[in-house]
Amino acid sequence: MTISEQTKIELRELMSRYPQSRSALLPMLHLVQSVEGYVSQEGIEVCAVEVGLSTAEVSAVASFYTMFKRYPVGKHHIGVCTNSMCALLGGDNIWRTLSKELDAGHDETTADSMFTLERIECQAACTHAPVMTVNWEFMDDMTEQKAAQVVSDLRAGKDLQATRGAKVRTFKDVQRTIAGFDDGLVDEPSIDASMLAGLNEFKNSTKGGK
Amino acid sequence: MTTPLVPNLTLHWDDADSHTLTGYQRHGGYSALKKAFTAGADGVIQIVKDSGLRGRGGAGFPTGMKWGFVPQNDGKPHYLVVNADESEPGACKDIPLMIANPHSLVEGVIISSFAIRANHAFIYIRGETPHPIRRVRAAVAAAYQAGLLGKNIQGSGFDLDVVVHSGAGAYICGEETALLDSLEGRRGQPRLKPPFPAVAGLYASPTVINNAETIASVPAIINNGADWYKSYGTEKSPGIKLFAVSGHVKRPGIYEAPLGITMRELITYAGGMKSDLPLKFWIPGGSSVPMLTADHLDIPLTYEDMAAAGTMLGTGTPMVFDTSTSVVKAVIRWIEFYKHESCGKCTPCREGTYWMVDILKRMEKGKAQLSDMDLLVDISAQISGRSFCALGDAAATPFPAALKYFKEEFEEVIKMAGAQA
Ligand SMILES: Cc1cc2nc3c(=O)[nH]c(=O)nc-3n(C[C@H](O)[C@H](O)[C@H](O)COP(=O)(O)O)c2cc1C
Ligand code: SF4
Ligand code: FES
């Protein structure tokens, strides 16, 4: 695959957002990943030319960040949080279930290129543990059953809604959102009971006629 | 008397449109901005100083004082950088805040930038969280459209541009100087201090870096006054905070309350312990601060009281663990995290976390000896205070903290696993 002229225009658009164009490098690599499904050598070269760095300099940056992948990611990226809180609340079992179901280990992609599985670190959602992500959208309060269902729904091409986030699209689609381009999904409902826990408690106590 | 909950930032999260400009303005959103312009830049800094607001990113540094360090009339551009990289294990307050109430952050950014004379602000959001990225981007776009950002905001003569930036998966980029390197398009490794960012930060210009919750707290302070804010909390820890309670409680979630509330009260608000098992240990604010036990449930959650108890308030996002928890497993996963996230710049942290994980894994597999506990204590001591940045100190925290209360459990695991092998 090659980086199109249209993508180069968008890379320049990202650069123009910053006082110094190199600041756009992370979003630019996200955009490359949204086009290629990973940070390809060509993507690195294009970014280097645009920003005015050597390819070695851009590679050094890309390799520092875990979100940038050196091999093509499957259609869907599945993350399972196995940091302490999630692990103890069921995340380890979810990991085992999915790893078996997909026949893939950490950072591995299924033979049909449908899924890439990754053990992820705390996703800033411990109140919703155990947490899983599909293309980085939250799948909160998971169980082994729900996690397996998510995978089978994705296989069947069914519509799926993130718990706090948008409807599930592909890894590449979401990479484009992360790079900083609008996707029209901002209004999808995403406030849940855990986020309202304190507010509801407050309202109950004041309603209780104090 | 029980400390009441005080929804402030969270007050309208049950509105379906709480994240929109309309939703925010329905409840007085952006009215603090006018007051800020009237008070003037120095006036705003003074109000924030008087309010006693302290940084919500973990260290609790007084916000107004930090703003006061920015040189005046130095002819250089100034920058405000919002730290929304939330990645510390246990911390889960900034992400919900940005999902539910992104305009409080944007209004806070405008007022704070005005105060420190910055015409450019950046919101550095953790890359793995597309939804807050969407919502904050949309809030910024709406603010531009309404003339709340851009040139000559509301006829004040103040210009401000805001860029929403995405990280790419590196906990170390939450450290403020590493964040600046990352925002400059480099590997995110901490910088030597001094110079401090207030003097030479982004693009070597004066820069203020504040946590997302800190900045989002500013509009209400300007609107209601420093005295209002100080009427909550304690003298040294004034105000209101988002407490994100996770773990073995019936209703984990966000509880907004004055500083000084106790963990016992928070657990009660959260419906009590999940399976009615007793509490084993809890951590007040992220895996980087030492754990406490049931003996500490009545200590006020303030910066000073937590320090006196040998820990820190940190991010104020308590993790609660009941007696079903293996403290050994919890500690192993945290230290594995620090090993994974060590940026590799300095030897004690890079090598020390490697060896700690190696020994802990050995422990898990039943191949450890009791003397390995001393070895772990020793390695922790070699990392702590000898590392380039606070990530090293954080990595050296969980094991000694756990050993203080649960030495027998580690010994049992070593002996039992040894018997199995
Ligand atoms: C390894 C490490 C990670 C950090 N991560 C964050 C973070 O995600 N968000 C944050 O606000 N502060 C984080 N901090 C603290 C920041 O360095 C800094 O103190 C803070 O952003 C200042 O804002 P405040 O004064 O408003 O708290 C981190 C510090 C370290 C050492
Ligand atoms: S303490 Fe760790 S994270 Fe901090 S600079 Fe040293 S190696 Fe990097
Ligand atoms: S430990 Fe999994 S989201 Fe925090």
Side-chain angles (χ1 to χ4, degrees), chain B residues 268-321:
Chain B
T268 305
Y269 282 128
M273 297 300 288
K274 192 177 184 178
S275 324
D276 298 318
L277 283 176
L279 179 128
K280 181 168 175 177
F281 62 95
W282 61 284
I283 300 195
S287 58
S288 300
V289 313
M291 61 177 64
L292 296 172
T293 65
D295 293 341
H296 308 97
L297 285 174
D298 295 311
I299 303 174
L301 289 160
T302 63
Y303 298 99
E304 64 276 15
D305 291 292
M306 287 296 113
T311 182
M312 286 185 282
L313 183 65
T315 49
T317 51
M319 291 184 274
V320 177
F321 300 94

Side-chain angles (χ1 to χ4, degrees), chain B residues 172 175 188-190 338 341-350 353 383 386-393:
Chain B
I172 188 58
E175 195 283 333
Q189 290 184 314
Y338 291 113
E341 301 298 332
S342 167
C343 82
K345 182 168 179 148
C346 66
T347 317
C349 169
R350 185 187 60 237
T353 52
I383 301 175
R386 291 188 168 87
S387 301
F388 194 81
C389 84
L391 189 146
D393 300 330

Side-chain angles (χ1 to χ4, degrees), chain B residues 64-93:
Chain B
M65 194 192 291
K66 186 187 272 191
W67 294 2
F69 292 152
V70 174
Q72 305 277 326
N73 306 317
D74 54 345
K76 284 190 183 172
H78 296 179
Y79 298 105
L80 175 76
V81 177
V82 175
N83 190 344
D85 193 41
E86 189 164 67
S87 314
E88 160 110 353
C92 46
K93 63 183 183 68

Side-chain angles (χ1 to χ4, degrees), chain A residues 56-108:
Chain A
E57 284 170 307
V58 175
S59 285
V61 173
S63 65
F64 185 82
Y65 297 93
T66 47
M67 282 183 83
F68 297 134
K69 305 299 181 193
R70 269 173 270 188
Y71 300 99
V73 172
K75 182 176 177 193
H76 298 293
H77 175 276
I78 309 267
V80 180
C81 176
T82 54
N83 202 303
S84 309
M85 182 59 79
C86 285
L88 289 161
L89 268 65
D92 277 355
N93 294 339
I94 293 172
W95 167 260
R96 270 191 292 272
T97 302
L98 289 188
S99 184
K100 209 169 119 195
E101 171 70 28
L102 297 173
D103 192 19
H106 172 63
D107 244 338
E108 286 179 8

